[in-house]
């Protein structure tokens, strides 16, 4: 909730600045029509140093799911065209990744089942020290509106916002935990414990890895803003902040009301499979260079 509130404030600030910049753009429209092609078309490259997170919301097995955010560097190229002295459009292509470490201090699972002799019993599972690392890499095509405000001969400011169309390239997870499996037979009654031969081991170290099920096409909003410095008439450096957040659920898992993190010894499913919604988000610094074509 705290992250969502921060993103909401950032978007509101962006919209306010966008309105101000539109006013400036309109007021300078007459002058821009008299300007030459100079400083209108550019080619650029950028690199973002980001703090990232993959949110797995409403995990069905526990309410104590916690996150440790990851770090990543993404990079790309873009082209832009300013149709006035202030406003323009920007299209690019980039590669970037999101990662996070999910953890559960403990979990408890109970369900009715039968053994190999068709005897009914209740499986009781206790888990602890459960950790899952998730990483998703995307090939992205960002499309943005960009505004610039000169603040001197060389210094200026910029604001950019738009949508990125993301295609997953890699989508992996690695999980681990310690689990105890007990079987309660109410007909006798008896509780079977620490019997690994019969499928009831205690303190069993379990690990798993595999590919996450992610939608083949996702949309992410992107916003950035900061300062620019012109080295000469052709080359400009940009330094600013960058924020991104998915607009919809990126998970391709089918919602299963009977999801279990584990149901038998040595089995461990992905936490994302038991979450109702998943999304990516990032915040960090952006460094870029533009070359204005003559």
């Amino acid at each position: 909730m705290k992250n969502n509130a921060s993103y909401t404030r950032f978007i509101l600030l962006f919209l306010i600045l966008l309105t101000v910049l539109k006013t400036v753009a309109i007021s300078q429209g007459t002058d821009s029509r008299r300007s030459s092609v100079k400083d209108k078309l550019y080619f650029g490259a950028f690199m973002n140093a980001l703090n990232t997170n993959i949110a797995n919301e409403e995990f069905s097995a526990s309410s104590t799911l916690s996150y440790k955010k990851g770090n990543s560097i993404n990079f790309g190229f873009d082209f832009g065209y300013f149709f006035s002295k202030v406003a323009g459009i920007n299209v690019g292509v980039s590669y970037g990744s999101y990662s996070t470490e999910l953890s559960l201090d403990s979990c408890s699972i109970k369900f009715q089942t039968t053994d190999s002799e068709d005897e009914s019993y209740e499986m009781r599972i206790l888990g602890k020290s459960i950790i899952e690392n998730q990483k998703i890499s995307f090939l992205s095509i960002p499309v943005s509106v960009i505004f610039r405000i000169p603040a001197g001969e060389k210094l200026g400011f910029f604001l950019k916002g738009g949508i990125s169309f993301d295609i997953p390239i890699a989508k992996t997870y690695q999980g681990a935990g310690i689990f105890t499996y007990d079987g309660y037979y109410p007909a006798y009654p008896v509780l079977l414990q620490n019997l690994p031969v019969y499928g009831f081991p205690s303190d069993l170290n379990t690990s798993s890895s595999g590919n996450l099920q992610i939608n083949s096409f996702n949309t992410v909003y992107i916003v950035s803003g900061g300062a620019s410095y012109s080295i000469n008439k052709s080359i400009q450096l940009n330094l600013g902040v960058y924020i991104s957040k998915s607009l919809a659920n990126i998970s391709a898992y089918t919602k299963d009301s009977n999801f279990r993190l584990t149901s038998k010894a040595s089995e461990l499913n992905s936490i994302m499979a038991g979450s109702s919604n998943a999304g990516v988000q990032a915040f960090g610094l952006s460094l870029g260079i533009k070359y204005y074509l003559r």
Side-chain angles (χ1 to χ4, degrees), residues 234-277:
S234 299
I235 300 175
Q236 184 183 79
L237 296 178
N238 296 313
L239 178 63
V241 295
Y242 175 94
I243 188 171
S244 66
K245 190 176 188 298
S246 52
L247 292 170
N249 186 14
I250 67 169
S251 173
Y253 287 98
T254 301
K255 188 174 182 180
D256 184 1
S257 59
N258 295 318
F259 170 83
R260 303 183 186 100
L261 190 61
T262 178
S263 59
K264 59 183 178 181
S266 300
E267 177 188 71
L268 182 57
N269 297 309
S270 172
I271 290 174
M272 187 179 288
S275 302
S276 64
N277 185 69

Side-chain angles (χ1 to χ4, degrees), residues 7 31 44 58 68 73 102 112 114 139 162 186 190 214 225 233:
Y7 290 127
D31 293 336
E58 298 180 11
K68 181 179 179 181
I73 300 291
L102 308 169
Q112 299 294 324
T114 57
L139 177 67
V190 64
I214 303 298
K233 292 182 178 180

